[in-house]
Amino acid sequence: MARDEVVILGVGMHPWGKWGQNFVEYGVAAARAALADAGVAWTDIQFVSGACTMRCGYPGYVAGATFAQALGWNGARIASSYAACASGSMALEAARAQIRSGRCDVALVVGADTTPKGFLAPQAGERPNDPDWLRFRLLGATNPTYFALYARRRMDLYGTTERDIAEVRVKNAQHGFTNPYARYRQELTVDAVLASNMVADPLRLLEICATSDGGAAVVVASADYARKKGVTSGVKIAAVSTVTPSYPSDQIEMPDFATDSWAVVPRPGHAFRDSVARAAYEEAGLGPEDMSLAEVYDLSSAMELDWYEQLGLAEAGEGERLLHDGVTRLGGRCPVNTSGGLACFGEAVPAQALAQVCEVTWQLRGTAGPRQVKNAKTGITANQGLFGHGSSVILTR
Amino acid sequence: MSTDKPKVPAVEGWFESNGPNPHLIGGQCEKCGTISFPREKSFCKNPSCDSTSFRAVPLSQRGTIWSYTNACYKPPAPYVASDPYVPFGIAAVELEKEGMVVMGQLAHGVRVEDVRVGMEVELVVETLFATEEKELLVWKWKPVAS
């Protein structure tokens, strides 16, 4: 292992659901599971990197300190990262940077959330300068509104059908129904998906990611530390991409009212979501053809089709063919969302990007049980957080 | 649902509702010409421009639909929904001259079945919601009568 390599020593999760407890409980449960998996004592952790939640009051804003205190102050340095849905990757990157700079040998990364029922709504109060408040006020634009705009454009441009979108959901149910950490563990039929209520045309209830409680944690270490623990082979971080868009971005994004203008400055060669994975591939020195599996952010089932193309697994407009050919199904060339994805989890915002890392780690170790990808060597995660947060992690073994 | 109550924009300075030509008000950088909506007043979005002066410019009243959807369920506060709730459409509209896509609700009564990607629409001003004292107005997109 190279000197600046960062190794995943342990991963752990608290099951996703609607448990109604304090988010700290899920985070601590996940942290203890990851520490046990790594064989590292909490008191040996030198750096705690917390992924923040904005819905659980002050302790959520200082997640690193909150989890460190809950586990018992051990004097470790801390960081708290917020990048909306990409918070987990940002927290992982903060820990990786500490290790690579030589400031610490072993770090704990934790994210957890407790969510209210229904649409994610903006923070309360009159805030007419906050675009996230204004989009609800002036447009009634919820998160599914944006997912639906992407889905409908895809349908009108590429001929994607409602059935294609439902088939993504059915595939993810088939992947996730045996996952003990998933919240929705039920096999589905296309007819059942298409019979669920329309939320934001063309997207139906079963095709839109719910919000969940959950927690995920990762223990990362330097190669030296891993070697001293007797770990000589294992899962390594090959890349973490946390890129922002390049101006002008022509994709309408939550919570914006408009895109940038490309009237004066021409559009960049790559759209934002294409650039997220591209940066990860570049750092890892790998390409889409090297990926054994991918965990992508299926905020809607239709967005998974977009991700196939944005990850470079298919050309634009070819995502459906990939799905129908079984390429992205377990047993296919590059299974996507073997965990069941957001469809089976529902989103626990600061924990979700870390949950993706947990799944890829289990797959690369060969311990994913019934959803194991045969001989998985390299996996990629992809995710995007509100306000321009790209996120992609590549793991190898 | 027009009443005699005074009509005021639901947001200040984002659109012109008076007169025969309602339009959105964008910001244009005095230095590089970049356009923004809502109107940028502090920093130019162009990373190669450090300008801090902007003029208000009217945006095109017509554009083409980039995509569209609807809100089958009542959006949460701070949206003020009609009671009983009536679903409404939402469109993202591409303005050719400005080179940008701007969202807005679809005009009252326009259903998703009535629109397609690429269809020409024009800006109209309609009531968003009413309080005891006034009607709050907002911009919406309406298919151009063919």
Side-chain angles (χ1 to χ4, degrees), chain A residues 275 286 352-353 381 395:
Chain A
S275 72
L286 298 167
Q352 210 68 44
T381 74
L395 303 180

Side-chain angles (χ1 to χ4, degrees), chain B residues 49-81:
Chain B
C49 179
D50 60 2
S51 169
T52 52
S53 1
F54 307 90
R55 59 178 157 262
V57 287
L59 300 188
S60 301
Q61 291 165 269
R62 287 192 177 191
T64 53
I65 290 187
W66 185 85
S67 192
Y68 56 95
T69 181
N70 61 6
C72 300
Y73 287 85
K74 187 166 89 171
Y79 189 73
V80 181

Side-chain angles (χ1 to χ4, degrees), chain A residues 327-347:
Chain A
V327 173
T328 58
R329 192 177 294 279
L330 265 176
R333 216 284 297 153
C334 182
V336 174
N337 282 336
T338 54
S339 67
L342 294 179
C344 296
F345 274 78
E347 191 183 13

Side-chain angles (χ1 to χ4, degrees), chain A residues 122 133 136-137 139-140 146 148-149 152-153 156 197-201 247 257-265, chain B residues 32-35 37 45-47 66-70 72-73 78-79 88 98-103 105 116-117 128:
Chain A
W133 187 87
F136 283 90
R137 179 65 154 204
L139 300 176
Y146 292 82
L149 290 174
R152 176 55 74 178
R153 183 165 172 84
D156 279 18
N197 287 343
M198 193 70 89
V199 174
D201 186 281
Y247 180 86
F257 284 82
T259 61
D260 294 332
S261 161
W262 56 88
V264 172
V265 181
Chain B
C32 75
T34 279
I35 293 173
F37 180 81
K45 289 164 167 287
N46 178 354
W66 185 85
S67 192
Y68 56 95
T69 181
N70 61 6
C72 300
Y73 287 85
Y79 189 73
F88 58 90
E98 290 81 4
M100 66 196 305
V101 173
V102 183
M103 286 172 67
Q105 288 192 358
R116 302 295 298 165
V117 169
L128 179 63

Side-chain angles (χ1 to χ4, degrees), chain A residues 47 49-52 79-98 109-110 240-244 349-350 353-354 357 381 383 385-393:
Chain A
F47 184 77
S49 191
C52 300
S80 299
S81 301
Y82 190 69
C85 304
S87 300
S89 302
M90 189 179 267
L92 180 66
E93 178 66 332
R96 185 173 78 135
Q98 288 284 321
V109 188
V110 192
V240 180
S241 156
T242 54
V243 294
T244 52
V349 175
L354 293 174
V357 169
T381 74
N383 151 318
L386 198 73
F387 288 102
H389 291 103
S391 144
S392 176
V393 177

Side-chain angles (χ1 to χ4, degrees), chain A residues 236-304:
Chain A
K236 299 177 282 278
I237 300 177
V240 180
S241 156
T242 54
V243 294
T244 52
S246 292
Y247 180 86
S249 178
D250 64 357
Q251 184 91 357
I252 188 85
E253 302 278 9
M254 284 192 297
D256 296 339
F257 284 82
T259 61
D260 294 332
S261 161
W262 56 88
V264 172
V265 181
R267 284 175 268 196
H270 301 286
F272 175 43
R273 275 192 281 278
D274 295 329
S275 72
V276 173
R278 177 172 282 264
Y281 289 139
E282 206 170 298
E283 188 195 339
L286 298 167
E289 66 284 356
D290 299 311
M291 298 301 121
S292 316
L293 74 145
E295 283 285 302
V296 305
Y297 235 50
D298 54 326
L299 290 166
S300 85
S301 301
M303 276 176 85
E304 182 171 312

